């Protein structure tokens, strides 16, 4: 089993593993990531192997500063403005990949673009010390619920990796928002930890929605899924279902639920986002075949919450993106 080491003591052990081409589970402000040296093909391959992730699904490369980012990708003025406003933080930019960049081709899955993010906290310090970008998708088995605690990582991947860095529960609880500047505007590829309205305020224009194919991580139709089936926008709870609730008012028949977790009793979307994956895991462990989910508003961070819920509820054999 993987060792779980406090972030205050884990920097040197994590660096040693990364330098050796191994992978490490690390905390970020969004969710826990499974990190490997993005310039080392062996390390990147180990990420895919540990997660069971399909290799057509690209990874995010995490950087320590703008200088590192600019060695990897070409920034247009709008993307640079967004980076200045939201980095470090839960925003990923999809940018043209420089031909001379040292990023391994597995990271970009053969695309001529690369997804870049600058994390806060332990992840940022680790990258600075390593001196190279880290590829770091969510630290969970591919397609399953993202981990927001070190224990959740260890329970899932503990037999496949050697170290989990424990930084406590992640504060945002949702993966990063992914956007791409293109002719005609700025396209939202994945809603996430920064609300679309906040990005639009900096960009000075509305975000385009809808994208074809896999252009960035998190675009598979079925993703973030528990073992139980998910039934969304439930107005009534059937006998034997678990209930993922939201707000102060319950769906009819809530007394029938075998287990209940409320994302936010006061209806706060920031709190709901932080609780989403952990509460889905808790309800999945309750053993119900179905998790009924009360409606969650779609404004602000609700867009990202509903995106994750929809992908968790999607047919598990559907291979392509729906964004």
């Amino acid at each position: 089993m993987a060792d779980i080491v406090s972030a205050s003591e884990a920097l040197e052990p994590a660096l040693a593993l990364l330098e050796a081409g191994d992978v490490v589970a690390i905390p970020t402000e969004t969710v826990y990531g499974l990190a490997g040296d993005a310039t080392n093909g062996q390390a990147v391959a180990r990420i895919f192997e540990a997660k069971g992730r399909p290799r057509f699904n690209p990874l995010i490369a995490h950087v320590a500063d703008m200088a590192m980012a600019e060695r990897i990708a070409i920034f247009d003025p709008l993307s640079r403005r967004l980076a200045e406003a939201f980095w470090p933080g839960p925003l990923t930019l999809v940018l043209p990949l420089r031909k001379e960049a040292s990023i391994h081709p597995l990271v970009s899955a053969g695309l001529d673009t690369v997804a870049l993010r600058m994390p806060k906290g332990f992840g940022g310090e680790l990258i600075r010390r390593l001196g190279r970008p880290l590829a770091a998708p969510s630290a969970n088995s591919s397609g399953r619920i993202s981990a927001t605690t070190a224990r959740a990582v260890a329970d899932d991947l503990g037999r496949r990796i050697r170290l989990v860095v424990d930084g406590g529960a992640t504060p945002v609880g949702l993966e990063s928002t992914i956007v791409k500047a293109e002719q005609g505007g700025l396209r939202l590829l994945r809603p996430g930890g920064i609300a679309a309205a906040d990005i639009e305020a900096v960009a000075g224009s509305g975000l385009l929605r809808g994208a074809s194919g896999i252009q960035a991580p998190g675009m598979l139709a079925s993703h973030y899924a528990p073992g139980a089936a998910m039934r969304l926008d439930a107005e009534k709870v059937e006998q034997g279902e678990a209930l993922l609730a939201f707000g102060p008012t319950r769906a009819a028949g809530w007394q029938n639920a075998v287990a209940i977790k409320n994302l936010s009793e006061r209806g706060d979307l920031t709190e709901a986002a932080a609780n989403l994956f952990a509460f889905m895991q808790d309800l999945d462990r309750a053993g119900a075949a179905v998790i009924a989910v009360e409606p969650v508003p779609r404004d602000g961070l609700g867009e990202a919450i509903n995106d994750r819920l929809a992908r968790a509820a999607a047919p598990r054999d559907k291979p392509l993106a729906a964004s």
Side-chain angles (χ1 to χ4, degrees):
M1 287 293 291
D3 292 327
I4 301 177
V5 179
S6 169
S8 63
E9 301 175 351
L11 188 59
E12 297 304 327
L15 276 171
L17 287 170
L18 293 172
E19 291 280 10
D22 210 336
V23 298
V24 178
I26 63 171
T28 78
E29 67 273 37
T30 57
V31 298
Y32 275 72
L34 184 61
D37 182 349
T39 70
N40 183 325
Q42 177 183 347
V44 178
R46 283 182 172 170
I47 293 173
F48 282 95
E49 180 181 9
K51 285 177 61 68
R53 183 184 179 96
R55 296 199 178 192
F56 61 77
N57 196 5
L59 306 176
I60 296 173
H62 294 70
V63 299
D65 50 41
M66 280 300 297
M68 184 180 288
E70 288 177 327
R71 291 194 293 270
I72 298 168
I74 300 169
F75 280 77
D76 58 275
L78 176 54
S79 295
R80 185 178 300 278
R81 188 158 76 246
L82 293 174
E84 290 171 351
F86 295 110
W87 280 4
L91 176 70
T92 293
L93 298 169
V94 175
L95 301 160
L97 179 64
R98 290 189 182 275
K99 292 182 179 179
E100 68 274 19
S102 59
I103 293 291
H104 193 274
L106 276 175
V107 174
S108 59
L111 300 172
D112 59 3
T113 57
V114 64
L116 291 185
R117 186 168 91 82
M118 188 187 298
K120 297 179 181 179
F122 182 89
E125 177 61 23
L126 185 62
I127 300 164
R128 279 188 287 275
R129 287 287 304 276
L130 182 67
R132 297 185 293 279
L134 289 178
S138 56
N140 56 284
S141 297
S142 185
R144 296 303 182 184
I145 302 172
S146 299
T148 56
T149 65
R151 174 48 58 190
V153 177
D155 288 346
D156 185 356
L157 300 180
R159 296 188 180 279
R160 302 178 224 168
I161 63 177
R162 296 170 62 184
L163 176 64
V164 179
V165 179
D166 189 354
T170 60
V172 176
L174 289 174
E175 295 83 358
S176 60
T177 304
I178 303 180
V179 298
K180 179 183 180 184
E182 57 186 31
Q183 283 190 338
L186 189 66
R187 188 169 298 276
L188 179 67
L189 298 180
R190 180 181 74 182
I194 297 177
D198 294 335
I199 296 172
E200 290 171 337
V202 173
S205 61
L207 286 170
L208 303 171
R209 264 103 168 153
S212 60
I214 305 296
Q215 300 186 43
M219 294 181 68
L220 292 174
S222 177
H223 209 46
Y224 317 109
M230 302 279 287
R231 187 168 65 84
L232 306 186
D233 296 323
E235 297 181 354
K236 181 180 179 181
V237 181
E238 303 296 338
Q239 193 71 38
E241 291 183 330
L243 176 62
L244 185 61
F246 177 81
T249 304
R250 295 286 61 76
W254 64 268
Q255 300 91 339
N256 295 327
V258 298
I260 300 175
K261 299 293 288 189
N262 194 325
L263 292 170
S264 174
E265 292 186 4
R266 63 179 188 269
D268 181 273
L269 290 171
T270 300
E271 180 182 21
N275 288 331
L276 178 63
F277 290 136
F279 284 7
M280 286 171 62
Q281 288 168 332
D282 288 344
L283 293 178
D284 201 28
R285 285 192 288 267
V290 177
I291 299 173
V293 184
E294 291 180 350
V296 177
R298 285 168 166 76
D299 58 302
L301 287 180
E303 181 177 12
I305 294 169
N306 279 282
D307 172 83
R308 302 307 190 273
L309 290 171
R311 294 179 193 274
R316 307 293 165 88
D317 59 351
K318 190 174 181 181
L320 295 180
S323 179

